[in-house]
Amino acid sequence: MSDDTPRDGEGSAGKRANTPTQERRRWPRQQKSNDDSKPRSPSALKPLAFSTLDLTPGEQFDAWRSYVAPLMDVQLPDGVSEEQGFAISHVAWNFRNMLLVQQRGDAYRYQRSEAKLRSSLLDHWSITLRRTGRSWTEVGGRVAESLPGTIEIRSLGRPFRGRLLESEFLTIYMPRTLFGDSVWLLDANNNAVLSSNLADVLAKYINAIEARLAEFTEEELPGVISATRDMIIACLSASETSPKGENRIGAVSLIERARKYIRENLSSTQITPDVLCRELGLSRTHLYQLFEPSGGVVRYIQRQRLLAAHAALSDPQDRRQVSTIAHTFGFNSSADFSRAFSREFGYSPTEARNLIAPTHGALHHDKAKIVETSSFESWLRALGS
């Protein structure tokens, strides 16, 4: 038999089958994306770093105390002196309407008191993913213990105090207004420590954000914020499904409805307990019970008016007269406003304008741009504004 004899599959038919021009496809060939060839926009995030490692041991804790003073008061653990030193690293990343903070450091005690709330007008939420160490935090008489791998939910608008061991963790700060009608879920879980399957998914998501901090572009930041908010809401929704919590959830939802009505009508002098009862369909007794933890409904309404007025006075772009601001937020008399303001904050409206405005001087008039002289305090204050 000749060596030229075709073997099975090697005849003319086989040759045609192996010819590339005869290849048939079920689906048309997809064009290769050109995205990889396009230059990527520069990173939008620049870290704001604080560390005590370059200071002498005796200076370290005092530097940390000054740095976090707008947020809370801190103390060293019992039996530890400032001369022994205090090592800590704190790196913040500003997503414009969300902050992510990486912190690693020694043990200390912390407190956000009623006095601190009055002097530092922050009503944000903190979501902390603990990696190492432990903490114990008390809010309203209830202590929550946080272990590695858990997530803590805490309001900066309520007093708290606690202590932590040498730890490493990530904290996300988000303004209360960002959560809209779902904020009652966070209120229902204030000072909660989450460790469910969905909490684990949220932890992985937060870790994924951290891994890409140097890559996010300006155009991507709003999507990251929205996704983070939605993940938090989904995680908390899953934790509030037990029958045992139904009454508590309903009460918190009702409180949030009342708070929303008050926020939207701060300029009206007609916000009274009777008006709220009609709007919410409640008895006066039930309304008073809901607001008892806040010092009463009348006290809560006035405090919200004063906080809004304080925020306006603290805004360097708002140059309205004090009397105009007072009237805007429901005060008929400038004298009554000044007395109430001074009792609440310990200084007059005029002093508030002179005292707070320099702090905001580091903020560019365009809130979307963060200038090089920004501070952690100015970043916290600008959230939600």
Side-chain angles (χ1 to χ4, degrees):
M1 182 180 294
S2 169
D3 291 340
D4 293 333
T5 303
R7 296 182 176 89
D8 291 343
E10 290 187 358
S12 58
K15 291 180 180 179
R16 283 196 300 271
N18 292 329
T19 303
T21 58
Q22 298 297 319
E23 181 180 347
R24 295 178 181 271
R25 293 181 179 272
R26 181 181 296 272
W27 307 109
R29 184 188 301 272
Q30 293 183 353
Q31 296 295 322
K32 184 176 180 180
S33 172
N34 293 325
D35 290 347
D36 293 340
S37 62
K38 293 180 180 179
R40 183 170 173 81
S41 299
S43 172
L45 302 178
K46 305 296 180 185
L48 180 67
F50 170 86
S51 173
T52 63
L53 299 181
D54 293 332
L55 303 174
T56 64
E59 299 173 321
Q60 289 176 339
F61 191 73
D62 187 57
W64 173 244
R65 180 165 44 218
S66 299
Y67 192 76
V68 296
L71 186 61
M72 58 189 174
D73 297 315
V74 294
Q75 294 180 318
L76 285 169
D78 294 341
V80 179
S81 71
E82 295 189 14
E83 296 305 318
Q84 294 176 252
F86 180 80
I88 198 163
S89 171
H90 183 280
V91 182
W93 302 78
N94 196 330
F95 286 74
R96 314 305 181 246
N97 206 26
M98 177 181 90
L99 303 183
L100 186 146
V101 172
Q102 302 160 301
Q103 182 171 319
R104 174 189 299 175
D106 290 339
Y108 61 91
R109 296 180 179 274
Y110 50 87
Q111 180 175 13
R112 184 164 173 80
S113 62
E114 285 281 4
K116 181 63 68 175
L117 263 65
R118 290 194 295 270
S119 64
S120 179
L121 305 177
L122 303 175
D123 193 17
H124 310 323
W125 286 94
S126 67
I127 297 90
T128 297
L129 168 60
R130 184 164 303 282
R131 288 178 170 159
T132 64
R134 300 168 71 180
S135 71
W136 297 262
T137 306
E138 182 263 325
V139 173
R142 187 176 67 86
V143 177
E145 180 182 8
S146 173
L147 301 173
T150 60
I151 291 179
E152 307 166 54
I153 307 289
R154 189 163 301 117
S155 170
L156 301 186
R158 291 280 305 278
F160 60 80
R161 63 177 180 174
R163 64 185 180 94
L164 57 78
L165 304 181
E166 181 180 349
S167 300
E168 179 182 358
F169 52 86
L170 294 176
T171 296
I172 290 176
Y173 294 98
M174 306 183 84
R176 181 183 182 86
T177 53
L178 189 64
F179 293 91
D181 292 340
S182 297
V183 76
W184 67 270
L185 276 168
L186 286 89
D187 285 322
N189 286 277
N190 186 28
N191 203 38
V193 177
L194 309 178
S195 57
S196 64
N197 289 333
L198 271 178
D200 185 54
V201 172
L202 178 59
K204 288 181 171 63
Y205 172 78
I206 295 174
N207 285 329
I209 292 179
E210 183 191 29
R212 293 166 176 79
L213 286 172
E215 302 174 11
F216 289 121
T217 65
E218 194 73 41
E219 296 74 21
E220 292 171 332
L221 298 187
V224 175
I225 295 171
S226 296
T228 305
R229 177 199 59 207
D230 293 345
M231 288 283 291
I232 293 169
I233 291 173
C235 183
L236 295 180
S237 297
S239 70
E240 292 295 327
T241 57
S242 65
K244 182 178 179 181
E246 286 178 359
N247 291 336
R248 182 169 64 97
I249 296 169
V252 174
S253 179
L254 201 56
I255 291 172
E256 187 53 35
R257 284 175 54 201
R259 287 175 172 173
K260 182 179 179 181
Y261 181 84
I262 292 169
R263 287 196 304 269
E264 293 175 350
N265 294 276
L266 285 178
S267 61
S268 171
T269 59
Q270 304 303 315
I271 309 179
T272 65
D274 288 339
V275 169
L276 282 173
C277 286
R278 287 197 302 269
E279 289 294 326
L280 302 174
L282 296 175
S283 67
R284 290 176 67 94
T285 300
H286 194 181
L287 182 69
Y288 291 156
Q289 288 174 343
L290 288 175
F291 281 91
E292 185 177 0
S294 302
V297 61
V298 175
R299 162 70 174 145
Y300 180 84
I301 293 170
Q302 175 158 296
R303 176 169 169 76
Q304 295 309 302
R305 285 176 168 155
L306 291 171
L307 287 171
H310 198 301
L313 290 166
S314 302
D315 185 351
Q317 305 304 316
D318 191 338
R319 304 313 301 170
R320 289 177 295 173
Q321 294 183 348
V322 171
S323 59
T324 302
I325 291 175
H327 181 75
T328 298
F329 295 108
F331 290 89
N332 290 327
S333 165
S334 296
D336 290 344
F337 169 69
S338 294
R339 283 193 292 270
F341 192 98
S342 298
R343 283 196 302 267
E344 183 71 25
F345 302 111
Y347 43 83
S348 70
T350 302
E351 290 172 325
R353 171 162 278 168
N354 296 332
L355 175 67
I356 304 296
T359 301
H360 290 265
L363 291 178
H364 195 278
H365 70 280
D366 180 0
K367 297 284 178 66
K369 303 295 182 183
I370 306 297
V371 296
E372 293 299 324
T373 55
S374 290
S375 66
F376 182 57
E377 178 181 4
S378 68
W379 282 7
L380 280 171
R381 289 184 181 278
L383 280 183
S385 61

